[in-house]
Each structure stands twice: as C-alpha cells, then as structure tokens.
C-alpha cells in the first residue's frame, strides 16, 4: 500500500479518487486551497469509506507550504489534480491560469525533488488534441493549444516529459481525461460547479432540478449523427479507478507516458438529453442555438493503450452516468451548500 499525496483532492475528480484510494487501503494526504471546493466533500469521503485521511489546506504556488507537507508526512506518490479548469476564465485571466497550473506545477515538482518523491500522476485533458474528423483520438495524434487552459496542460505535459528524459528517477503518468461526468453511487459526493455551469451534464441536471430554465444546445449543424456535438463521457468512478491502475503501473517503472481516459464511445448532445429523460422521467426544456466558439464536432478516445498497458477497463454505461449525476443533484440541489 502507498502513501498518496492528492493535490486538489477536495475537488470533483479528486474527492472521487480519494474514495477509491482509501477503499483500496492506501493512505491519503489531501492538499487543497479550497478555492473551488469545500471541506465537506472530504468529510463525506471519510463517511463513505469509514477511513480517515489527512487534510492540509494550502496552495501549490507556495513552495514552503508544499515543502511542509513532505516534511510532515511520508509520501510515495503524488496525484496532481490541483488547478484551474474554466476555458473562458483562462482567456480573461491568462496570468492567473499560468500561475496556478504551470507555476504551481513547477513548485510541486521542486518540492517532490527535494523530498526525493519521483512518482507522479498528472491530470491532463483531451482538450490538448487537435481533434479533426471523427477518428478516435490515439495518444500519438497531433496536439494543439486552443486556449490558455489547454496551453497550461500542454506546457506541463511537455515539461514533465523533458524532466523524465533528463532524470531517470522520475516515473510519470499523464492521464488525458475525456469528459468526466456522474457521481459516486451514494449521491453523497459529486460535481458542484460555481455559478452557471459551462459543461453539459451539470447544466442538464440543474435544469432538471429547477435551477435553470432550459438547456441551450450549442450547434445542430455539425457533421455528426444528429448535427449536435459528440463527446466521450466517462463515469467519474471509472476515471478515479484509472488513477489506481496508473499508480500500480508507475510504482517501480521509469519515464513518462500518456494514457487516454475515455470509454471509446461517443454520444451526441441530443442523445445525452434524450437518455437523461428516459433514465429519470424528467423532461428537459431546450433550444437549439448557435455553435460555441472553440467547440469541435467530435471528440472520442482510443482507450486501447490504457486498457492493455494499465489493465484498466471502464465499467459504467451512459445510463449509469446520467442516473448517478441525477442522484447527486437531486439529493444536493444546491451542491454542498
Ligand atoms: P475542481 O475544480 O473540482 O478541483 C480542483 C481542485 O484544486 C479544487 O478543489 C481547488 O480548490 C483546488 N485548487 C485549485 N488551485 C489550487 C492551488 N493553487 N493550490 C491548491 N489547490 C488548488 O476540478 P476537477 O474537475 O476535479 O479537475 C481536477 C483536474 O483535472 C484539474 O487539473 C483539471 O484541469 C483536470 N481536468 C478536469 C476535467 C473535467 O472535466 N473535470 C477534464 C480534463 C482535465
Ligand atoms: C469542455 C472544454 C474542455 C474541457 C471539458 C471538460 C470547451 C470548448 N471545452 O469540453 O476543454 O476539457 O469541457 O471540462 O469549453 N453543450 C451544450 N450546451 C451546454 C453545454 C455544452 O450544447 O450548455 C455541448 C457542447 O457544445 C459539446 C457538449 O455539449 O458539444 C459537451 O460540452 P462540455 O460538457 O462543455 O464539454 P467539452 O466541450 O467537450
């Protein structure tokens, strides 16, 4: 069993990963500044697992704060979720994004090096791919930075690749997530976006719970099955388990390697909306509107590398994702508040 430092562990993906880590018997230290999360999520993680974790409130941009974590706790592996993730915001405040995501990442790496901890799992994103056509995206297709957010992910990936190349002590996993949705089966933890959601799934569940009037479908003239955008939605618990597989793969391995974390199946916006209505029995008011800037028609993973090399296999269907997203939202209509 390993002792795992989870940066950003109070957030959406981090909290679900903490549940799986604790359930598998690992020790967990969460480091989070709570800028986009709350301690209640961690209380619920502990309640669900009947295990305790250590929480340290701090910011990855401040070296002394991270150094302190490594001197207070024995750490074997770092899972690095902490960062900012809103594309629009990244266009308005690029410096803030570079500061948290790139400078913060660099500070974390320096602290790791000092503490002689060389195993890292990094949260990357499928947004770095230059998605052209509807071909499943393999890890080796061209990458392209389309906005400041994706640029921070790309820079960090490239920095990690160079570090691992120069120093053979490093063992790094780059996990490129497709579209994480869903929630823990219990409905006790889930996605809790601040303000108006940018992403499709929380928008649909907020319409269903009465917090929003109707869904705007961004674009209905794409070259897809029904004209609406197609994405590879992945259940957050499957995604959390991919981190456990990556952890097993990286302990004892060397170098830096990227893996796609998606199901390999695409669903259109209309298919998601219609399936949500079928699964929950709740009609979703909607309007067809124009395309959203920066969107692609189709984004779908070729996940064969993760399946063969990590021994990871996604378990959940789109219907599971919708049912679990709704279960979380209806139990927590205002999120953790
Ligand atoms: P989230 O906002 O729910 O979680 C991020 C956590 O990091 C939050 O708890 C926040 O308080 C914390 N944080 C932010 N800046 C920090 C800092 N400077 N120091 C310490 N803590 C800080 O987001 P999430 O959806 O859980 O995403 C986690 C990671 O996965 C992010 O790096 C994100 O870019 C990446 N990612 C997410 C998605 C997605 O759709 N959710 C897709 C691809 C990649
Ligand atoms: C978005 C980000 C991406 C990020 C990902 C996960 C953009 C351009 N891309 O991806 O970088 O990694 O979230 O956080 O923001 N849709 C609607 N109405 C809505 C919301 C979305 O029709 O109110 C459509 C979109 O046009 C898209 C699909 O639903 O076709 C999924 O959208 P979303 O959940 O925002 O994910 P991505 O666009 O894939």
């Amino acid at each position: 069993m390993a002792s795992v430092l989870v940066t950003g562990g109070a957030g959406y993906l981090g909290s679900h990963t903490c549940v799986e880590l604790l359930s598998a018997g690992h020790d967990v230290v969460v480091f989070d500044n709570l800028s986009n999360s709350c301690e209640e999520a961690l209380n619920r993680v502990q309640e669900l697992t009947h295990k305790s974790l250590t929480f340290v409130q701090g910011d990855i941009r401040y070296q002394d704060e991270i150094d302190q974590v490594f001197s207070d706790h024995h750490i074997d592996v770092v899972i690095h979720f902490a960062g900012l993730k809103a594309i629009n915001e990244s266009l308005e405040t690029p410096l803030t994004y570079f500061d948290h995501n790139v400078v913060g990442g660099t500070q974390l790496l320096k602290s790791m090096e000092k503490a002689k901890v060389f195993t890292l799992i990094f949260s990357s994103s499928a947004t770095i791919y230059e998605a052209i056509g509807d071909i499943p995206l393999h890890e080796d297709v061209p990458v392209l930075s389309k906005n400041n957010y994706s640029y921070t992910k790309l820079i960090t990936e490239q920095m990690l690749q160079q570090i691992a190349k120069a120093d053979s002590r490093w063992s790094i996993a780059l996990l490129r997530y497709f579209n994480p949705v869903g929630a823990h089966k219990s409905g006790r933890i889930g996605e809790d976006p601040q303000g108006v959601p940018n992403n499709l799934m929380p928008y649909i569940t907020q319409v269903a719970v009465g917090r929003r009037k109707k869904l705007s479908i961004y674009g209905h003239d794409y070259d897809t099955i029904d004209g609406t955008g197609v994405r590879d939605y992945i259940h957050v618990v499957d995604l959390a388990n991919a981190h456990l597989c990556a952890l097993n793969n990286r302990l004892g391995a060397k170098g830096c390697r990227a893996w796609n974390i998606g199901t390999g199946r695409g669903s259109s916006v209309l298919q998601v909306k219609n399936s949500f209505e079928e699964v929950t029995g709740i009609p979703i008011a909607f309007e067809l509107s124009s395309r959203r800037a920066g969107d692609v028609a189709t984004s779908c993973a070729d996940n064969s590398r993760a399946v063969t090399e990590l021994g990871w296999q996604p378990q959940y269907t789109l219907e599971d994702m919708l049912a679990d997203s709704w279960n979380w939202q209806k139990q927590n209509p205002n999120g953790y508040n």
Side-chain angles (χ1 to χ4, degrees):
M1 288 304 124
S3 178
V4 188
L5 173 63
V6 185
T7 74
Y12 173 44
L13 307 182
S15 56
H16 287 82
T17 302
C18 287
V19 168
E20 300 308 315
L21 286 167
L22 290 168
S23 303
H26 298 294
D27 290 326
V28 172
V29 178
V30 167
F31 183 79
D32 197 305
N33 67 1
L34 302 182
S35 59
N36 197 37
S37 53
C38 59
E39 224 178 320
E40 176 59 14
L42 295 175
N43 296 337
R44 295 188 187 188
V45 165
Q46 295 174 94
E47 162 206 302
L48 286 171
T49 56
H50 306 291
K51 301 242 172 95
S52 47
L53 54 73
T54 304
F55 172 56
V56 180
Q57 186 164 355
D59 195 304
I60 49 165
R61 291 170 300 166
Y62 307 129
Q63 190 92 62
D64 51 339
E65 294 186 7
I66 326 171
D67 281 346
Q68 195 62 46
V69 178
F70 284 101
S71 53
D72 290 349
H73 305 277
H74 168 79
I75 304 292
D76 301 304
V77 185
V78 177
I79 304 183
H80 178 36
F81 290 105
L84 306 181
K85 61 167 185 177
I87 293 193
N88 290 347
E89 197 182 60
S90 81
L91 298 174
E92 288 155 17
T93 56
L95 193 51
T96 307
Y97 269 68
F98 287 111
D99 195 25
H100 284 260
N101 292 7
V102 183
V103 175
T106 313
Q107 301 293 55
L108 174 67
L109 291 168
K110 287 195 278 183
S111 295
M112 287 178 70
E113 190 174 48
K114 262 192 256 175
K116 300 197 171 10
V117 177
F118 294 104
T119 308
L120 173 72
I121 299 170
F122 173 62
S123 295
S124 189
S125 169
T127 186
I128 66 167
Y129 288 123
E130 184 180 9
I132 302 168
D134 59 358
I135 313 145
L137 295 159
H138 185 264
E139 285 83 353
D140 295 332
V141 303
V143 290
L144 175 79
S145 73
K146 297 177 276 284
N147 51 63
N148 293 325
Y149 167 70
S150 74
Y151 200 32
T152 66
K153 291 293 175 191
L154 202 49
I155 294 174
T156 308
E157 274 209 7
Q158 288 168 347
M159 181 168 77
L160 293 171
Q161 277 157 356
Q162 293 309 316
I163 289 168
K165 208 160 142 188
D167 183 342
S168 64
R169 291 173 299 177
W170 286 93
S171 180
I172 301 172
L174 311 172
L175 299 188
R176 296 176 178 162
Y177 313 147
F178 278 69
N179 289 63
V181 296
H184 189 267
K185 269 261 163 293
S186 63
R188 295 291 290 155
I189 56 172
E191 186 174 13
D192 184 16
Q194 308 299 304
V196 182
N198 290 314
N199 297 123
L200 180 64
M201 193 62 71
Y203 207 102
I204 289 180
T205 58
Q206 290 195 11
V207 171
V209 85
R211 277 172 69 180
R212 314 264 159 218
K213 260 175 121 168
K214 62 180 169 197
L215 170 72
S216 295
I217 294 184
Y218 299 141
H220 48 98
D221 55 355
Y222 285 111
D223 184 14
T224 60
I225 182 168
D226 54 23
T228 65
V230 168
R231 295 292 182 274
D232 184 338
Y233 297 94
I234 168 88
H235 197 293
V236 63
V237 174
D238 277 334
L239 178 135
N241 279 315
H243 292 75
L244 273 74
C245 296
L247 188 153
N248 291 334
N249 174 282
R250 288 293 91 186
L251 285 172
K254 297 279 172 243
C256 179
R257 187 127 173 102
W259 288 279
N260 284 339
I261 305 301
T263 62
R265 289 185 303 273
S267 307
S268 75
V269 178
L270 274 172
Q271 287 173 329
V272 171
K273 181 199 81 70
N274 293 342
S275 300
F276 184 88
E277 292 176 330
E278 276 165 32
V279 166
T280 65
I282 300 168
I284 297 298
F286 73 100
E287 63 180 3
L288 296 174
S289 82
S290 51
R291 293 181 179 192
R292 180 173 66 178
D295 273 357
V296 293
T298 301
S299 165
C300 192
D302 174 341
N303 67 6
S304 53
R305 187 189 280 182
V307 169
T308 51
E309 294 182 2
L310 299 181
W312 172 72
Q313 189 68 60
Q315 307 289 332
Y316 294 97
T317 63
L318 180 66
E319 287 69 28
D320 296 326
M321 303 177 209
L322 297 165
D324 293 341
S325 293
W326 176 234
N327 186 35
W328 150 256
Q329 185 77 79
K330 81 174 172 220
Q331 284 189 47
N332 304 270
N334 297 307
Y336 289 108
N337 288 325

